Amino acid sequence: MTSFDPSALLTARTRTADEGAIIRMAQKSRDLRAKGMDVVSLTVGEPDFDTPDHIQQEATAAMKAGFTHYSPVQGIPELRAALSRKLKAENNLDYAAAEICVTNGAKQAIANAVLSLIDQGDEVIMLAPFWVSYEITVRFAGGTPVVLAATVDEDYKVPASRIAAAITPRTKLLILNSPSNPTGAVWSANELEAIAEIVRLHPRMMVLSDEIYEYIMFDGRMASIGALPGMRERTITVNGFSKGFAMTGWRLGFAAAVEPVTRAMVRMQGTITTGANQFVQRAAIAALEGPREEVERMRLRYRARRDMVLAGLRAIEGVRIGSIPATFYAFPDVSALLGRKAGNHVMDTTDRLCDWLLEEHGVAVVPGTAFGAPGSIRLSFAASEADIQKALDRMSSALKSLA
Ligand SMILES: Cc1ncc(COP(=O)(O)O)c(C=O)c1O
């Protein structure tokens, strides 16, 4: 019998789908904990709060009422109507229920959009630091990521002039994520208008606007690029229930775009997963239209933690951080610390620095390489205040000890 190696059968595509550093650091923390080490982990990007009770109750009631069957692929009409009202009232976006696709998480909305628009060789502009999934999904579709990077001194926002200079005849899509994972940056209405001005000049270009951190903002409200003049047709707005409503495990998101694009996205979804869970969609209506006190309570907790994290990081020499107007992430630039030593170990990359922080000091954070920004590290403050303080204390004494 000849030897059989199933891994030799795998497609090239599988090699593009590597989630990398976040999962690696989270797994490494679990492994060290299992060996008895006291590890504080600020790696994962998910609320540490439970889903508000009235949303849970609605899901249970819907399940009992028989909403346990396949959903229409595009989502139940009642939820799409509620989303259409939400987009108008909160984001000044005009999309009818027929222009909305309910998805299994915002991640699927992004995949639907990219698979619908990007063919082999199409270029997609993404603004680093960015959420790593964008790059992986674009490569998965055969597209070419064009990465433009901004520094901490630019508040991590790539200026519109650099975006204009990167556009070629093959550019199909610009991915925007405001508020941003991992930096917490928020683009103002004026900054979005400067981008829209460039996009409107190009007949073959659209914007994917990922607004999933909409409800975790600390000053004012965000602006949606799809609400700007001439941008309705050119924008796919993606959002979801995971972050603001603490519903990560429920897997519910949505995309809004003009009908031909929405229809294509529905076809992609129909091929891969079909519609999202029915009783979860019922509960999502309660999330949108029910009381928002819990969402506000969580926001205030994140804001207090943001203040703790900023104060802690600003007190460490060699760590640079601007403001964090939104999200539950801090993304300090630690490039001034690279090259320093702990004993014989040189911290020449943030990957090495993060491994050392975890293995020697019991604090897990994610290297910026995972976000297209190798000089920074990401801390998630979706963790208890006690854990955040412990992590800051450990980081402070560890980083100060570097020679
Ligand atoms: C920027 C951004 N977009 C989308 C998602 C995916 O969210 P969902 O849980 O709805 O798939 C995440 C999750 O980490 C995210 O950070």
Side-chain angles (χ1 to χ4, degrees):
M1 208 167 60
T2 52
S3 70
F4 173 64
D5 174 14
S7 62
L9 304 183
L10 301 178
T11 60
R13 190 179 305 120
T14 59
R15 287 191 290 277
T16 67
D18 173 17
E19 280 267 26
I22 306 177
I23 287 173
R24 189 173 64 81
M25 292 307 288
Q27 187 55 46
K28 207 164 171 180
S29 326
R30 281 193 288 273
D31 294 346
L32 289 172
R33 267 194 203 126
K35 287 185 189 155
M37 185 170 172
D38 168 24
V39 173
V40 199
S41 177
L42 302 187
T43 54
V44 297
E46 83 164 324
D48 54 320
F49 302 109
D50 290 331
T51 305
D53 198 48
H54 72 280
I55 302 173
Q56 295 191 29
Q57 282 177 18
E58 190 61 33
T60 312
M63 209 185 305
K64 297 276 185 218
F67 290 101
T68 55
H69 298 269
Y70 281 131
S71 155
V73 176
Q74 191 171 355
I76 58 173
E78 297 87 339
L79 175 57
R80 287 187 289 109
L83 287 167
S84 172
R85 289 192 291 276
K86 172 255 180 295
L87 290 171
K88 184 69 202 158
E90 298 182 349
N91 310 100
N92 197 25
L93 289 169
D94 274 308
Y95 292 97
E99 297 173 303
I100 293 169
C101 176
V102 176
T103 58
N104 295 280
K107 202 169 197 177
Q108 183 173 44
I110 294 162
N112 285 347
V114 169
L115 291 171
S116 297
L117 286 173
I118 300 307
D119 270 325
Q120 199 72 32
D122 285 340
E123 292 176 4
V124 180
I125 297 180
M126 49 193 81
L127 310 178
F130 54 68
W131 185 47
V132 65
S133 251
Y134 303 135
E135 189 185 5
I136 296 166
T137 309
V138 166
R139 287 195 195 281
F140 199 78
T144 306
V146 175
V147 177
L148 308 179
T151 64
V152 65
D153 297 310
E154 294 170 314
D155 291 331
Y156 289 123
K157 290 185 275 191
V158 176
S161 56
R162 285 224 292 281
I163 298 175
I167 294 173
T168 76
R170 308 208 69 163
T171 307
K172 263 269 188 76
L173 194 62
L174 163 69
I175 301 183
L176 267 184
N177 174 214
S178 171
S180 153
N181 172 10
T183 68
V186 179
W187 276 251
S188 69
N190 285 342
E191 287 164 339
L192 292 177
E193 178 49 40
I195 294 173
E197 231 166 72
I198 295 160
V199 174
R200 285 192 291 257
L201 295 176
H202 294 272
R204 271 175 47 83
M205 184 174 173
M206 289 188 75
V207 175
L208 191 163
S209 178
D210 178 349
E211 307 184 354
I212 196 162
Y213 292 96
E214 169 182 21
Y215 295 134
I216 310 177
M217 288 212 30
F218 308 128
D219 309 294
R221 293 197 50 78
M222 59 164 291
S224 294
I225 192 163
L228 298 176
M231 291 305 289
R232 192 189 104 82
E233 296 73 16
R234 293 169 176 275
T235 305
I236 301 173
T237 301
V238 167
N239 205 329
F241 294 80
S242 286
K243 313 292 176 172
F245 294 105
M247 290 173 66
T248 45
W250 299 61
R251 311 308 305 127
L252 202 69
F254 59 95
V258 285
E259 264 201 80
V261 178
T262 296
R263 277 202 299 274
M265 293 196 289
V266 172
R267 284 201 299 278
M268 294 300 106
Q269 181 164 320
T271 306
I272 297 172
T273 60
T274 79
N277 178 318
Q278 283 248 37
F279 56 82
V280 167
Q281 293 186 63
R282 291 269 150 195
I285 300 172
L288 289 172
E289 305 201 327
R292 292 281 180 95
E293 283 83 0
E294 284 296 296
V295 172
E296 177 61 4
R297 196 180 60 82
M298 292 188 273
R299 187 185 75 86
L300 294 175
R301 284 284 287 280
Y302 294 132
R303 190 174 68 181
R305 293 167 180 182
R306 185 270 315 255
D307 295 342
M308 271 178 80
V309 168
L310 275 182
L313 291 176
R314 283 180 179 149
I316 305 174
E317 186 266 326
V319 171
R320 295 180 58 223
I321 181 133
S323 59
I324 307 174
T327 75
F328 39 63
Y329 305 110
F331 200 64
D333 182 310
V334 295
S335 50
L337 300 174
L338 297 182
R340 294 193 189 175
K341 285 186 189 166
N344 289 328
H345 300 288
V346 184
M347 302 299 150
D348 50 359
T349 62
T350 46
D351 292 78
R352 204 168 296 240
L353 182 74
C354 290
D355 281 340
W356 172 75
L357 282 171
L358 176 53
E359 287 158 14
E360 302 297 325
H361 299 275
V363 51
V365 296
V366 186
T369 35
F371 308 95
S376 299
I377 57 177
R378 190 188 79 172
L379 291 69
S380 160
F381 46 90
S384 72
E385 286 78 0
D387 274 359
I388 293 169
Q389 196 53 57
K390 208 194 264 184
L392 288 168
D393 292 344
R394 286 180 186 185
M395 274 181 65
S396 170
S397 66
L399 297 176
K400 276 178 190 154
S401 75
L402 288 175

